[in-house]
Structure formats: C-alpha cells, structure tokens
Amino acid sequence: ALSELVPLLKDVSCDAELSVRQALAEQLVPLCAVLMKAPEESAEVEGEETSAHAVVVETCVPLLSAMLTAGGGQELAGGGSAQLIDAAAEALVAIAALLPADEVGTTVLTAVLTLAHDDESEENRVVATQLLGSLAPVVSAELCCQFVLPEVISLADDPVFRVRKVAALKLGGLTAAVGA
C-alpha cells in the first residue's frame, strides 16, 4: 500500500484546489498514526525500500511544512489559505506528538524555526510563533529551553505587531512547558 500511497500524497499536496490540499492535511494525522504503529514495516516506494517511519518523517512532515507557507506555495485567487495553514499546523503538532521526542527537534522543530527566520514573510513568522507555542509541550524541556523559548523571545521583539502579539499570547504556555 505504501508504494502507491506515497506518490499519491505528493500529487495531492500539489493539487490546484485549496480544499483538496486542506483535506490531505487533515487526513495525514490518522495516516501517520497508523504508520507509527508499525514504524519498521517497509515497502518499495519509488524504487527504494522505505520504512513506515521514514514516510512520516521524510514525506508527511515536509508536505505539511510546505503547506504552511502561503497554502503550500500556490497562489490562491480567492484567498482562504488560512484554513489550509491552520489544518497543516494542527497536523504538524499532532504528528510531532507521534514521533519520539528526540526526533521532533530534527524534523518538525527545524521546519518551524525556518519559518520563524523568514524576514520576508510576516505571515510565516506568525505561523511559526503559533507553532512554537503549540510544540512546547511536545518537545523535551531541554529543546524547549534551548530553542523554542529563545525563539519566541526573539519573535516577541519582532517589528511587526501581529508577530509580537502571538508571541505574547504563547508566553504562558511556554512557561508551563519549561517549568519556570
């Protein structure tokens, strides 16, 4: 099933219709939950032997990360990419909870920090700030103190009001996560 499913995920993630990409984002969590129940199970995917775990980390997380940036890189005539970004963000946090804590930093957190450092896009920094706050309880306290907290503090000093506001809203949850 993986051999047919992975190429389909990539195709659907690039669909021209926003609602199709949003539906995919919403369905990736149940899919990843099933895959993580047997993470060592493998199949040939696009000519290479791939484990279920690798599909989650190397396919699903990057697909969701791409959806976070203005609805997956597709310009939307009617707007509405906020629903797709919300669905992708929720899915990314839920998938992070399925991964071993040490992997969250190298997969999900790295993608979110990349968004946080996007000086060109205010929206990406807002999304990153929201995600950092949501990921705080999922990542280890050490990662939270080492990366999440300093990044949110930095974003709290952003020149854009919306970024600072989201950072301020996430401080309470961060404090609880780091035990301060």
Side-chain angles (χ1 to χ4, degrees):
L2 279 180
S3 58
E4 292 90 27
L5 191 60
V6 173
L8 178 64
L9 294 176
K10 293 176 181 176
D11 290 344
V12 173
S13 74
C14 297
D15 196 279
E17 292 295 325
L18 169 73
S19 61
V20 172
R21 296 193 314 269
Q22 182 178 342
L24 174 64
E26 293 166 353
Q27 294 307 307
L28 281 177
V29 175
L31 170 69
C32 290
V34 169
L35 292 174
M36 291 305 290
K37 285 183 181 175
E40 300 306 318
E41 197 166 307
S42 65
E44 189 170 307
V45 177
E46 298 176 336
E48 292 184 30
E49 196 68 21
T50 305
S51 71
H53 176 266
V55 170
V56 172
V57 172
E58 298 169 10
T59 301
C60 297
V61 170
L63 287 179
L64 288 168
S65 297
M67 289 181 198
L68 291 173
T69 57
Q74 308 245 353
E75 291 304 315
L76 306 169
S81 67
Q83 292 89 351
L84 173 60
I85 292 169
D86 289 346
E90 284 181 33
L92 202 56
V93 171
I95 290 171
L98 298 173
L99 295 172
D102 59 321
E103 278 190 333
V104 175
T106 57
T107 57
V108 178
L109 190 55
T110 302
V112 174
L113 291 173
T114 301
L115 285 177
H117 291 227
D118 185 349
D119 293 334
E120 301 298 313
S121 173
E122 164 189 337
E123 189 59 35
N124 284 351
R125 294 193 311 279
V126 168
V127 169
T129 307
Q130 291 168 331
L131 276 166
L132 287 167
S134 299
L135 285 170
V138 177
V139 301
S140 66
E142 180 184 338
L143 279 178
C144 196
C145 289
Q146 190 175 3
F147 294 102
V148 176
L149 189 58
E151 195 63 42
V152 172
I153 289 169
S154 173
L155 289 163
D157 195 33
D158 195 272
V160 177
F161 157 78
R162 287 181 55 229
V163 178
R164 294 192 310 271
K165 181 179 178 184
V166 173
L169 289 170
K170 296 299 176 181
L171 289 177
L174 281 172
T175 304
V178 297

